[in-house]
Amino acid sequence: MKLDVFGATFRVPAASLTLFDNFVLILLIPILDRLVYPWLRGRGHSLSIVFRLCLGMTFSAVSMVVAGVVESRRLSLVSGTNFTQNISGTTYVAADMTILYQIPQYSLIGFSEAFAGVAGIEFVYIAAPRSMQGLLMGLYWCSSGIGSFLGTGLIYAFEGIVQTKLGHFGDVTCDNCHLDYYFYVLAVIQVIGIAIFLTVSRRLRLSELENRPKGLRLGETRTTQNNERKEAVVSRME
């Protein structure tokens, strides 16, 4: 893809595209927290944690679909092109399309994190006892790291599918590879994850966590909690 935008006056570093993810996240969180959510609550509506988690995962799945479509388009353009560009002293064959086409999928990831990421942290603090909040927060971030390792493993698992006679699919000169298949598979996995999450959330009644009084366990009422405390005091006296 062409790194030069606005003619040849500016070249976009490929690694800088991840900034759009962070930019959308930084911009969207205060808008949601200070404007959207209060506006919805003022009209008797609110977005539950479960809904925000599902919405964030949906944005992530859509991002993978968009990435797959862009990659499919890139492959169709690069197959018969003579366009080349020089990067760090090396000349590469590239598709005659601007790299700015990759902005939407990075922006959608920012939307995903603004909903699912924030809701996930909020869920940890609501569901966990005070004494275990730090531990569960660590496990929450650990799961993100494990997901990165699994994503890397998935790339190698699909190596035989996406590589071609031109060499390893990770080679930037390999223009007949099919990374678009990989993106579509990620989207399917995300949809399956949403279905599993909805099933688990219904069985565990996760939506009750937001409405229960602070200090109560899931499925417990204030009356049963008081009875348990009375029974504990009586047993100690005996």
Side-chain angles (χ1 to χ4, degrees), residues 8 21 55 58 60 64 67 71 84-86 94 109 128 130 134 146 154 156 164 204 215 234-235:
D21 171 10
L55 186 60
T58 301
S60 178
M64 293 301 100
E71 177 63 13
T84 60
Q85 62 181 346
N86 186 279
I109 290 296
R130 185 180 298 274
I146 294 174
L154 188 63
Y156 286 102
T164 66
L204 297 182
V234 171
S235 62

Side-chain angles (χ1 to χ4, degrees), residues 39-60:
W39 182 82
L40 289 174
R41 285 193 295 267
R43 284 155 179 77
H45 304 284
S46 63
L47 301 181
S48 66
I49 291 178
V50 173
F51 179 83
R52 282 182 283 154
L53 285 169
C54 290
L55 186 60
M57 289 188 284
T58 301
F59 276 118
S60 178

Side-chain angles (χ1 to χ4, degrees), residues 155-177:
I155 291 177
Y156 286 102
F158 273 78
E159 181 175 355
I161 298 177
V162 298
Q163 73 178 5
T164 66
K165 62 182 180 180
L166 295 181
H168 192 278
F169 73 91
D171 186 355
V172 293
T173 63
C174 178
D175 293 318
N176 288 334
C177 61

Side-chain angles (χ1 to χ4, degrees), residues 78-122:
V78 79
S79 58
T81 185
N82 294 321
F83 177 78
T84 60
Q85 62 181 346
N86 186 279
I87 303 176
S88 301
T90 304
T91 300
Y92 299 96
V93 177
D96 190 12
M97 62 185 298
T98 177
I99 197 172
L100 298 182
Y101 277 106
Q102 295 191 31
I103 291 178
Q105 51 263 43
Y106 283 101
S107 300
L108 286 169
I109 290 296
F111 276 89
S112 172
E113 293 178 352
F115 286 102
V118 175
I121 295 174
E122 185 178 347

Side-chain angles (χ1 to χ4, degrees), residues 66-77 178 180-181 184:
V66 173
V69 171
V70 172
E71 177 63 13
S72 298
R73 177 60 177 169
R74 185 193 73 83
L75 290 174
S76 67
L77 291 177
H178 278 284
D180 49 343
Y181 295 166
Y184 293 141

